[in-house]
């Protein structure tokens, strides 16, 4: 890339003269009594500045610097080189909330880098930036980076980073930090500096670094990208010193270079273990496949169908990703494990809970453990998360002994496993396997009928039942190339039970770490990625989730991200309603409601939040509150039309608790 002289072309003298003229022009034409200035008929009135452009003294008072000529950089800013490094990787957007600690790279990105690859997107909360990157990856399969103010910005971002960590999603966090105590600005920037900002997120990032030179930055950034993008994927963090960004390149006369990125192949299961697993599966009477984050791509879905059909084995899709078509006759809910003699778990976040259950009904208020599976059931696990375990946060869940354990990537191991199973199925097993298939078709049809009947219950209820909410939405999008980008809150899993999810982008899984506040930003990020594919993005948006950081609605409108958000507005944190009620019952007390529907502290009503107005105020098409189920279909239809025109749209629907 050719490097331009970073000096502005306008001289300081001319610049100051321009400021003086502009200032004079705005003062000589006052508008009397607030009357609007005359404009040509039909033309939009000129937008008046909210304040005069600052003169030198005002600027000095505001920035705290004496009115002294700003010195000009001699040479090329270090952050221009950083932008060169970033541009060698395929990072399309940088959703970020601005801050002085990274002002130099911010300036380089938009001026030197032309605000492309990555394009800076404005977010109003650091958690939104990370949440957007999280959702984006699950559609695009490519990571985003987010710039964030060291210390306070990273503190805001932390929960969303934890979600990405638990959900095995890569993203690159660049935290600005002013490391040099002798040279950093005193006051606020020093409050926002730390010895080691990465410590905040170290327990739930795959890797982090603090480069001290530009060559170091080039290595760190390419390494960070590579580590994040090697399965098991995960977030990475780089602390970026303000001085290093801002100073001209020096590097002791060394020539800087940018290391070439070559993707790493995902870890595959050991050949012996694959053979042993295949032998167990081929000879099983009732094998069951359980998948959580197994399919990283569309090919993963295809491979899982192959394995299931080869064995005619039921598949329990736990929904961490879209692993298996919901329309397939081998698709089953979790109770299918109860009869299994062999269970293979693919990228499970909790194998213990697949074969055990925990009931919150113990005598001392402590849960009771029970068994779901038979005690002699053989367990096989393919799970790359074993390669990513850290000690502090407990995302590795309870310990479960398994018989064949492969710390490997499931999708990458499936081709070898399928071959090995094919080789291990003897001719005399084939008839028995075929018979399993016939029984499965019948069970699938019966299960589907039961689900439909359950969905019809309270169909005409007001507020709207969650099944109706979900199916009225479906009726309006079914002929589009749709993608359900998030479903926050709890709508009794109706989309996964009733929508014909088949493609990998029909369902993206949940937050990973169950930190609420993921749904809104992740759906905006995923919709951003779907925009490039011309797909229609839809989300089921709960009220509690939206209120953590609703500013992401503005980001969607600002950057013209089409998304249909249908609200599951049950006017409360219903999950927690049930917890407090349960404890009140356990203690022989009546939960205090304080005039609301749920126990004190669990409702979001009185006053009721007008989410449609909230969205409208931030540039969305919006409608609501819909309480009558008969009005729902027409409202969603209008919203779909708005989204098709390129706008985000929200329908605020009052719903039953779940
Ligand atoms: C950051 C965070 N705070 C609190 C919780 C506890 N929590 C779990 S579910 C839930 C309720 C969420 O409300 P909403 O999104 O409206 O879903 P609903 O349960 O009403 O369907 C809360 C507060 C959490 N998981 N994460
Ligand atoms: Mg709610």
């Amino acid at each position: 890339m050719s490097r331009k002289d970073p000096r502005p072309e306008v001289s300081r003298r001319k610049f100051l003269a321009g400021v003086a003229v502009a200032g004079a022009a705005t003062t000589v034409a006052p508008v009397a009594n607030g009357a609007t200035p005359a404009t040509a008929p039909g033309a939009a009135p000129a937008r008046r500045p909210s304040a005069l452009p600052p003169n030198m003294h005002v600027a000095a008072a505001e920035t705290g610097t004496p009115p002294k000529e700003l010195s000009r950089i001699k040479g090329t800013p270090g952050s221009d080189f950083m932008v060169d490094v970033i541009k060698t990787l395929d990072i399309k957007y940088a959703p970020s909330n601005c801050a002085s600690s990274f002002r130099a790279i911010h300036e380089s990105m938009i001026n030197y880098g032309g605000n492309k690859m990555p394009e800076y997107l404005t977010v109003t909360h650091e958690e939104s930036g990370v949440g957007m990157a999280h959702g984006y990856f699950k559609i695009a399969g490519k990571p985003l980076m987010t710039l964030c103010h060291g210390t306070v910005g990273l503190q805001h971002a932390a929960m969303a980073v934890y979600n990405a960590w638990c959900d095995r999603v890569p993203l690159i966090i660049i935290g600005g930090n002013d490391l040099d105590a002798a040279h950093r600005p005193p006051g606020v920037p020093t409050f926002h500096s730390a010895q080691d900002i990465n410590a905040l997120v170290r327990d739930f990032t795959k890797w982090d670094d603090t480069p001290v030179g530009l060559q170091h930055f080039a290595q760190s950034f390419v390494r960070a990208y590579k580590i994040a993008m090697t399965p098991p994927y995960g977030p990475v963090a780089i602390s970026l010193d303000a001085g290093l960004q801002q100073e001209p390149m020096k590097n002791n006369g060394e020539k800087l270079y940018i290391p070439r990125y070559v993707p790493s192949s995902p870890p595959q299961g050991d050949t012996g273990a694959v053979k042993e697993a295949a032998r167990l599966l081929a000879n099983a009477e009732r094998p069951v496949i359980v998948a959580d984050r197994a399919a990283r791509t569309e090919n993963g879905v295809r491979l899982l169908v192959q394995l299931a059909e080869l064995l005619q084995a039921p598949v329990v899709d736990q929904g961490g990703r879209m692993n298996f078509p919901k329309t397939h006759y081998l698709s089953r809910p979790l109770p299918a494990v109860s009869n299994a003699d062999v269970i293979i778990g693919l990228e499970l976040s909790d194998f213990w809970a697949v074969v055990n259950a925990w009931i919150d009904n113990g005598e001392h208020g402590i849960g009771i453990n029970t068994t779901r599976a038979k005690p002699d059931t053989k367990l096989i696990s393919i799970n790359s998360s074993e390669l990513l375990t850290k000690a502090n946060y407990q995302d590795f869940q309870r310990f479960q002994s398994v018989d064949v354990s492969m710390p490997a990537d499931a999708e990458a191991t499936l081709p070898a496993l399928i071959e090995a199973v094919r080789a291990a199925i003897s001719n005399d097993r084939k008839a028995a396997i075929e018979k399993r298939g016939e029984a499965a078709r019948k069970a699938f049809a019966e299960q589907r009928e039961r689900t439909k009947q359950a969905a019809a219950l309270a169909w005409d209820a007001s507020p709207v039942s969650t099944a109706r909410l979900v199916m009225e939405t479906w009726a309006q999008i079914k002929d589009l190339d749709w993608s359900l980008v998030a479903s926050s809150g709890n709508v009794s899993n109706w989309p996964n039970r009733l929508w014909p999810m088949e493609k990998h982008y029909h369902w993206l899984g949940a937050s990973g770490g169950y930190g609420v506040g993921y749904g809104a930003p992740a759906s905006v990020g995923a919709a951003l990625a779907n925009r490039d594919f011309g797909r229609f993005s839809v989300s089921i948006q709960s009220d509690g989730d939206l209120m953590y950081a609703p500013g992401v609605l503005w980001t969607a409108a600002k950057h013209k991200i089409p998304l249909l958000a249908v609200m599951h507005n049950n006017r409360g944190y219903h999950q927690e309603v049930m917890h407090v009620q349960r404890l009140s019952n356990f203690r022989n007390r009546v939960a205090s409601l304080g005039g609301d529907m749920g126990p004190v502290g669990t409702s979001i009503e009185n006053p009721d939040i007008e989410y449609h107005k909230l969205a409208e105020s931030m540039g969305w098409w919006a409608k609501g509150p819909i309480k009558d189920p008969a009005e729902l279909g027409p409202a969603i239809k209008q919203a779909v039309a708005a989204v098709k025109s390129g706008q985000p749209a929200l329908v605020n629907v009052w719903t039953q608790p779940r």
Side-chain angles (χ1 to χ4, degrees), residues 489-490 542-545 568-575 604 655 657:
N490 190 316
S542 60
D543 50 341
D545 179 277
H568 161 45
N569 176 10
N570 57 8
R571 282 103 56 235
Y573 302 108
H574 187 67
Q575 172 81 17
I604 315 176
T655 49

Side-chain angles (χ1 to χ4, degrees), residues 208-221:
D208 67 83
D209 200 12
T210 303
V212 297
L214 290 174
Q215 190 58 70
H216 186 171
F217 172 83
Q219 287 186 25
S220 293
F221 197 84

Side-chain angles (χ1 to χ4, degrees), residues 22 26 46-53:
T26 42
R47 200 161 176 166
R48 279 184 287 159
S50 58
L52 294 176

Side-chain angles (χ1 to χ4, degrees), residues 91-129:
I91 303 172
K92 201 158 177 194
Y93 304 103
S96 309
N97 185 247
C98 49
S100 59
S101 59
F102 62 81
R103 64 182 185 172
I105 194 167
H106 181 163
E107 193 276 340
S108 289
M109 275 168 61
I110 61 170
N111 293 334
Y112 171 68
N115 199 25
K116 273 199 219 86
M117 300 302 287
E119 179 187 347
Y120 191 111
L121 305 181
T122 313
V123 298
T124 59
H125 193 297
E126 290 79 358
E127 188 177 294
S128 308

